[in-house]
Amino acid sequence: MSDYYSDPYQNDYKAWLLGGIFLSIIFLAFFGVGLYLLARQIQASWYVETESVVVDHKIIYERDSGGSHGSHFTRTAYYAIVEYEFDGKKYKKTADTPSSTDVPPDDMGKTITIYVNRNNPTDVVFRNSTHILLTTLCLTVPVGGFVGTAFMFRKAYKIKKDD
């Protein structure tokens, strides 16, 4: 008697193998992003710590569809523009992550620590808790994913071996 709820691909080694390959590619990309973010954080430790002041904000309006009913919403992101002095020259730089979304920030005139490249003062790293959290997630989540993918490859191997 056939089980109505059985999965026809449960014993198909190709499905398990392709699933494992697909997940491996995704986790490698995720891990690559984590390594890039980690490299930027390490790079910041070689840069010169400099104080900067928020002088303005770059406002970006992002429009996104809200679902199947055709509704849309707009998200407003505020990116801090900071001014800093390095080797007697003044520079301005826009942060790479928003300081606020949907609510106008009240950080005008606030002092922010940034990290400036000695050889290229326009190369700046904004080190903040969001980057550190994202870096941690991008490096730890794929580890669990690779373990799960290894089980997928093992299942594919067992099915192929039993055939």
Side-chain angles (χ1 to χ4, degrees), residues 58-126:
K58 179 179 181 180
I59 302 170
I60 296 177
Y61 300 99
E62 299 171 351
R63 187 176 166 109
D64 195 8
S65 64
S68 61
H69 301 293
S71 61
H72 297 282
F73 69 92
T74 302
R75 178 178 164 249
T76 308
Y78 298 88
Y79 292 81
I81 299 174
V82 298
E83 185 174 85
Y84 59 97
E85 190 172 324
F86 191 78
D87 284 341
K89 292 183 182 178
K90 287 194 175 196
Y91 299 91
K92 281 188 180 180
K93 188 72 173 183
T94 304
D96 49 2
T97 56
S99 57
S100 177
T101 55
D102 298 325
V103 178
D106 60 351
D107 58 355
M108 292 292 280
K110 181 180 174 187
T111 302
I112 296 176
T113 301
I114 60 173
Y115 300 86
V116 180
N117 184 342
R118 287 181 182 89
N119 302 322
N120 180 9
T122 59
D123 182 18
V124 173
V125 174
F126 291 81

Side-chain angles (χ1 to χ4, degrees), residues 1-161:
M1 174 161 87
S2 172
D3 185 10
Y4 178 75
Y5 295 105
S6 69
D7 183 2
Y9 297 107
Q10 184 175 359
N11 292 320
D12 183 5
Y13 83 94
K14 289 180 184 175
W16 285 96
L17 187 63
L18 288 175
I21 291 169
F22 177 73
L23 286 177
S24 294
I25 292 169
I26 289 173
F27 289 129
L28 279 173
F30 211 73
F31 196 68
V33 169
L35 288 177
Y36 169 76
L37 291 172
L38 180 63
R40 283 297 278 175
Q41 295 299 316
I42 292 170
Q43 188 179 31
S45 66
W46 296 329
Y47 286 11
V48 178
E49 186 175 304
T50 306
E51 296 299 316
S52 66
V53 177
V54 177
V55 293
D56 202 0
H57 290 94
K58 179 179 181 180
I59 302 170
I60 296 177
Y61 300 99
E62 299 171 351
R63 187 176 166 109
D64 195 8
S65 64
S68 61
H69 301 293
S71 61
H72 297 282
F73 69 92
T74 302
R75 178 178 164 249
T76 308
Y78 298 88
Y79 292 81
I81 299 174
V82 298
E83 185 174 85
Y84 59 97
E85 190 172 324
F86 191 78
D87 284 341
K89 292 183 182 178
K90 287 194 175 196
Y91 299 91
K92 281 188 180 180
K93 188 72 173 183
T94 304
D96 49 2
T97 56
S99 57
S100 177
T101 55
D102 298 325
V103 178
D106 60 351
D107 58 355
M108 292 292 280
K110 181 180 174 187
T111 302
I112 296 176
T113 301
I114 60 173
Y115 300 86
V116 180
N117 184 342
R118 287 181 182 89
N119 302 322
N120 180 9
T122 59
D123 182 18
V124 173
V125 174
F126 291 81
R127 184 187 286 179
N128 60 33
S129 59
T130 304
H131 286 145
I132 294 168
L133 175 64
L134 188 59
T135 302
T136 304
L137 287 174
C138 284
L139 292 175
T140 56
V141 168
V143 171
F146 286 130
V147 170
T149 303
F151 282 112
M152 290 181 79
F153 286 131
R154 183 173 167 230
K155 174 82 172 175
Y157 174 75
K158 280 185 173 184
I159 292 170
K160 181 70 174 169
K161 186 178 172 186

